[in-house]
Amino acid sequence: MVQDFEDLRIYQQARELGKQVYVITRKGEFRYDSRFVQQIRASVGSIADNIAEGFERQGNKEFIQFLYIAKGSAGELRSQLNRAFDVGFIEEVTFKQMYNDVRVLSAGIIHFIQSMNQSSYKGSKYDNIERVRKE
Protein backbone atom coordinates (compact mmCIF):
# COMPACT_ATOMS: atom_id res chain seq x y z
CA MET A 1 0.00 0.00 0.00
CA VAL A 2 1.19 3.49 -0.83
CA GLN A 3 1.31 5.82 2.15
CA ASP A 4 3.93 8.31 0.99
CA PHE A 5 5.09 9.53 -2.39
CA GLU A 6 8.42 7.81 -1.73
CA ASP A 7 6.54 4.50 -2.00
CA LEU A 8 5.59 5.18 -5.62
CA ARG A 9 7.65 3.32 -8.22
CA ILE A 10 7.58 6.35 -10.55
CA TYR A 11 9.05 8.52 -7.81
CA GLN A 12 11.79 5.96 -7.16
CA GLN A 13 12.59 5.83 -10.89
CA ALA A 14 12.74 9.64 -11.03
CA ARG A 15 15.20 9.66 -8.12
CA GLU A 16 17.41 7.12 -9.88
CA LEU A 17 17.43 9.26 -13.01
CA GLY A 18 18.33 12.27 -10.89
CA LYS A 19 21.36 10.46 -9.52
CA GLN A 20 22.43 9.47 -13.04
CA VAL A 21 22.09 13.05 -14.29
CA TYR A 22 24.28 14.31 -11.46
CA VAL A 23 26.92 11.70 -12.30
CA ILE A 24 27.07 12.59 -16.02
CA THR A 25 27.05 16.35 -15.40
CA ARG A 26 30.11 16.13 -13.17
CA LYS A 27 32.25 14.55 -15.89
CA GLY A 28 34.24 15.71 -18.89
CA GLU A 29 33.25 18.73 -20.90
CA PHE A 30 29.69 18.56 -19.58
CA ARG A 31 30.72 20.00 -16.22
CA TYR A 32 31.97 23.19 -17.88
CA ASP A 33 28.64 24.03 -19.52
CA SER A 34 27.02 25.43 -16.39
CA ARG A 35 23.82 26.61 -18.09
CA PHE A 36 23.19 23.20 -19.62
CA VAL A 37 24.06 21.47 -16.34
CA GLN A 38 21.52 23.65 -14.52
CA GLN A 39 18.87 22.97 -17.17
CA ILE A 40 19.19 19.20 -17.21
CA ARG A 41 19.37 18.99 -13.42
CA ALA A 42 16.27 21.19 -13.14
CA SER A 43 14.25 19.07 -15.53
CA VAL A 44 15.14 15.77 -13.86
CA GLY A 45 14.41 17.34 -10.47
CA SER A 46 11.08 18.60 -11.75
CA ILE A 47 9.95 15.06 -12.50
CA ALA A 48 10.38 13.86 -8.91
CA ASP A 49 9.27 17.16 -7.39
CA ASN A 50 5.99 17.25 -9.30
CA ILE A 51 5.20 13.65 -8.38
CA ALA A 52 5.82 14.53 -4.73
CA GLU A 53 3.88 17.80 -4.80
CA GLY A 54 0.92 16.27 -6.60
CA PHE A 55 0.76 13.40 -4.14
CA GLU A 56 0.83 15.78 -1.19
CA ARG A 57 -2.16 17.73 -2.58
CA GLN A 58 -4.24 14.69 -1.56
CA GLY A 59 -6.71 15.05 -4.40
CA ASN A 60 -6.61 12.89 -7.50
CA LYS A 61 -7.53 15.70 -9.89
CA GLU A 62 -4.63 17.85 -8.72
CA PHE A 63 -2.30 14.86 -8.54
CA ILE A 64 -3.06 14.00 -12.16
CA GLN A 65 -2.32 17.59 -13.18
CA PHE A 66 1.09 17.40 -11.49
CA LEU A 67 1.76 13.99 -13.07
CA TYR A 68 1.22 15.53 -16.50
CA ILE A 69 3.74 18.23 -15.60
CA ALA A 70 6.18 15.52 -14.48
CA LYS A 71 5.65 13.74 -17.80
CA GLY A 72 6.37 16.98 -19.64
CA SER A 73 9.60 17.34 -17.69
CA ALA A 74 10.51 13.79 -18.71
CA GLY A 75 10.11 14.86 -22.34
CA GLU A 76 12.33 17.84 -21.67
CA LEU A 77 14.93 15.52 -20.14
CA ARG A 78 14.84 13.26 -23.21
CA SER A 79 15.47 16.28 -25.44
CA GLN A 80 18.39 17.35 -23.27
CA LEU A 81 19.85 13.85 -23.36
CA ASN A 82 19.67 13.99 -27.16
CA ARG A 83 21.51 17.30 -27.12
CA ALA A 84 24.13 16.03 -24.66
CA PHE A 85 24.78 13.04 -26.89
CA ASP A 86 24.82 15.16 -30.07
CA VAL A 87 27.55 17.44 -28.71
CA GLY A 88 29.60 14.59 -27.28
CA PHE A 89 28.95 15.18 -23.58
CA ILE A 90 27.81 11.59 -23.02
CA GLU A 91 28.75 8.28 -24.61
CA GLU A 92 26.27 6.32 -26.71
CA VAL A 93 25.91 3.52 -24.14
CA THR A 94 25.05 6.01 -21.38
CA PHE A 95 22.72 7.92 -23.69
CA LYS A 96 20.80 4.80 -24.74
CA GLN A 97 20.47 3.53 -21.18
CA MET A 98 19.29 6.86 -19.76
CA TYR A 99 17.03 7.61 -22.71
CA ASN A 100 15.37 4.21 -22.27
CA ASP A 101 15.00 4.80 -18.52
CA VAL A 102 13.21 8.09 -19.20
CA ARG A 103 10.89 6.38 -21.72
CA VAL A 104 10.05 3.69 -19.15
CA LEU A 105 9.36 6.37 -16.54
CA SER A 106 7.12 8.32 -18.94
CA ALA A 107 5.14 5.17 -19.68
CA GLY A 108 4.84 4.49 -15.96
CA ILE A 109 3.51 8.00 -15.34
CA ILE A 110 0.88 7.59 -18.08
CA HIS A 111 -0.18 4.20 -16.74
CA PHE A 112 -0.48 5.70 -13.26
CA ILE A 113 -2.61 8.55 -14.63
CA GLN A 114 -4.85 6.08 -16.44
CA SER A 115 -5.37 4.00 -13.31
CA MET A 116 -6.20 7.12 -11.31
CA ASN A 117 -8.69 8.23 -13.96
CA GLN A 118 -10.44 4.86 -13.70
CA SER A 119 -10.65 5.02 -9.92
CA SER A 120 -13.73 6.36 -8.18
CA TYR A 121 -11.58 7.48 -5.23
CA LYS A 122 -11.19 11.28 -5.27
CA GLY A 123 -8.34 11.57 -2.78
CA SER A 124 -7.82 11.67 0.96
CA LYS A 125 -8.61 15.37 1.32
CA TYR A 126 -12.20 14.50 0.39
CA ASP A 127 -12.58 11.70 2.97
CA ASN A 128 -13.75 13.98 5.79
CA ILE A 129 -16.00 15.99 3.47
CA GLU A 130 -17.72 12.82 2.23
CA ARG A 131 -18.09 11.47 5.79
CA VAL A 132 -19.66 14.75 6.99
CA ARG A 133 -22.09 14.79 4.03
CA LYS A 134 -23.28 11.28 4.86
CA GLU A 135 -23.96 12.14 8.51
Side-chain angles (χ1 to χ4, degrees):
M1 183 170 151
V2 173
Q3 293 185 341
D4 298 300
F5 62 82
E6 291 95 343
D7 299 329
L8 296 171
R9 180 74 185 128
I10 56 174
Y11 179 79
Q12 295 165 7
Q13 290 170 317
R15 279 186 69 190
E16 269 311 307
L17 274 167
K19 288 189 242 178
Q20 292 172 32
V21 164
Y22 272 76
V23 167
I24 66 168
T25 57
R26 288 184 182 129
K27 294 181 180 177
E29 294 297 311
F30 211 146
R31 65 183 170 187
Y32 299 116
D33 191 334
S34 59
R35 180 148 164 44
F36 192 12
V37 168
Q38 289 173 350
Q39 259 186 328
I40 196 167
R41 287 179 177 179
S43 51
V44 78
S46 177
I47 300 169
D49 293 346
N50 278 292
I51 293 168
E53 185 172 353
F55 183 92
E56 290 295 321
R57 297 291 179 119
Q58 298 181 321
N60 283 8
K61 200 171 186 180
E62 286 176 289
F63 192 10
I64 289 168
Q65 179 182 356
F66 278 89
L67 289 171
Y68 276 116
I69 295 167
K71 187 170 179 336
S73 294
E76 183 179 3
L77 177 59
R78 280 197 349 252
S79 176
Q80 291 163 346
L81 288 170
N82 280 316
R83 191 169 61 220
F85 176 67
D86 290 346
V87 299
F89 283 176
I90 55 176
E91 299 292 323
E92 186 173 7
V93 172
T94 302
F95 166 73
K96 285 182 177 180
Q97 179 259 315
M98 290 183 72
Y99 188 89
N100 184 61
D101 289 349
V102 179
R103 296 291 300 224
V104 168
L105 175 55
S106 287
I109 292 170
I110 279 297
H111 288 121
F112 196 74
I113 290 169
Q114 290 168 343
S115 69
M116 289 183 74
N117 278 329
Q118 292 171 357
S119 172
S120 61
Y121 185 66
K122 293 180 182 179
S124 62
K125 76 177 182 180
Y126 297 103
D127 289 347
N128 290 335
I129 295 169
E130 293 299 318
R131 193 169 44 252
V132 169
R133 284 183 185 162
K134 289 178 183 177
E135 293 175 351

